[in-house]
Structures are given as structure tokens and as C-alpha cells.
Amino acid sequence: MTRTVSAWVTSGDEFLGSAGPFAVDVPWWSEVGPVVGWLEELLGVPVLVLRLLDVEGGARGRDGHVTYHVEALERPASGLLDQRPVEPGVLDGAEALRSPWARAEGLRELLDWAAGELASAGRPVSGPVVQRRTWNLAGLFRLPTARGPVWLKTTPHFAADEAAVITAFAGVDPGLVPPALGVGERRVLMERPGLPSRVGSCGGRPGLGGGLEIAGARQ
């Protein structure tokens, strides 16, 4: 099977329209890089996936037809998106438990924090941020710098503080974990994207900080 995608696109408080369905070559729902790439080519502006809205078919976090809420960071040219009605509350409904990185304002704040931390460390962001993964357990982003990429990971309030976990492992053996370049509440900047699979994997895909996709979970 494969994954097909539809996107409901907003810019701030305005619903701009929808795109899709289109196919991507990575089946996992949390792997949003191909979704971002397709939409940026269509719209000619940077975008970020906020959250998963719906899934038809598929199972265990992969395949099927997936609908995402996508935020355009700049307003695209008119006529590129399909115009169709959207039910009230689908895109702007308040959810007290929604992850900060699944909200446009929370995502902007997160990326502004990361840029400020790296600038203060003498390692400013040198190009567009690449959104790699987003799901209810974490958001993962790659930030380019002149000295190589830096990875930003954010986790929910109910999860263990990853920065504290990294510090604990480093106290035993610094080679077990990537060095932390910046630490904030439920967020960490690292040279590598996460804990090695022998440390951080809980049965999910290894090498990206561990963790499991939750089938059917919405942020």
C-alpha cells in the first residue's frame, strides 16, 4: 500500500483552500517531509504541517488516505488551491490538550526560540527549516547552520523530559547520546536527531528518537 494525502491550508486565521489528493512515497503518517515538499512546490511559499485531521484506510500509523492541517507561512498566489467549504471548528476549534507544535502560534514560537538559541550560541540558522516528523508524541525539525545541521525536538507534557534523559545518560557515558546545544521546556536542540536506537527505541522506527506512532491518534 501507499499513502495519499489531502491538505487543508490556512494562513493565520484564514482558510485558503485545499490540495490533493496526491501520493507520497513514504507510508508513515508522521513523516511529513514529502507532504511539505509537494505543497511548497505547488504553492511557492514555505509551509508547515500542523496536525493530522483524518485517516481513511491504513493501519498502525501508515498507508491509507491522510488529511492534514497545513499552515502557509506566507500567502500563496490565488488560484492554486481548491475552494471548498470547511465545517466550523475543524481547523480552528480549541482543544486544551493539543500539542503546542500542532498549533500555528505554538509552532512559530518554537522555531523562533530555536533560532534565538542558535544565534546566541554563534551558530545562526542559515536557511529554511526542514520539518521532518510530527505526531502526537513529538515534533522533529532540521535547522541548517554553517557548521552543519542541528535537530530540534519537542515532546508533550505527559512524556519524560528528553533533555533530562540525555543529561542522565551523558553522566554515565557521553557517547550514548548527542550533545544538547540548547534546552527549554519540553524542547531540545541536538547535533543528531535523537537517542540511538539501542537507547531510545520503544518498538517504533529507530534512529529518530524512538517512540511509537499511535494508530488513528489525532493531535
Side-chain angles (χ1 to χ4, degrees), residues 32-33 36 47-49 107 129-134 140-141:
V32 295
V36 169
V47 306
L48 293 169
V49 172
L107 195 48
V129 172
V130 177
Q131 186 180 28
R132 178 65 184 274
R133 303 183 78 189
T134 189
L140 185 66
F141 307 83

Side-chain angles (χ1 to χ4, degrees), residues 52-188:
L52 182 154
L53 294 173
D54 192 32
V55 177
E56 299 176 9
R60 300 182 62 83
R62 58 173 294 161
D63 300 320
H65 180 73
V66 187
T67 301
Y68 296 98
H69 180 186
V70 175
E71 176 77 359
L73 302 184
E74 300 172 13
R75 190 176 182 86
S78 60
L80 299 176
L81 293 167
D82 297 330
Q83 300 302 306
R84 62 182 68 179
V86 59
E87 295 181 12
V90 171
L91 300 179
D92 56 2
E95 293 286 349
L97 298 180
R98 182 166 295 157
S99 301
W101 65 91
R103 311 168 188 262
E105 65 277 10
L107 195 48
R108 291 176 188 271
E109 185 277 328
L110 174 70
L111 297 178
D112 286 346
W113 170 84
E117 287 288 305
L118 290 175
S120 297
R123 196 169 174 177
V125 177
S126 59
V129 172
V130 177
Q131 186 180 28
R132 178 65 184 274
R133 303 183 78 189
T134 189
W135 75 116
N136 60 332
L137 297 182
L140 185 66
F141 307 83
R142 188 174 73 246
L143 286 67
T145 77
R147 291 162 52 191
V150 173
W151 292 85
L152 166 64
K153 187 174 183 182
T154 182
T155 52
H157 65 90
F158 56 80
D161 187 338
E162 187 145 321
V165 173
I166 289 174
T167 300
F169 274 108
V172 176
D173 181 355
L176 284 175
V177 290
L181 302 178
V183 173
E185 184 177 0
R186 302 295 171 185
R187 56 188 66 176
V188 61

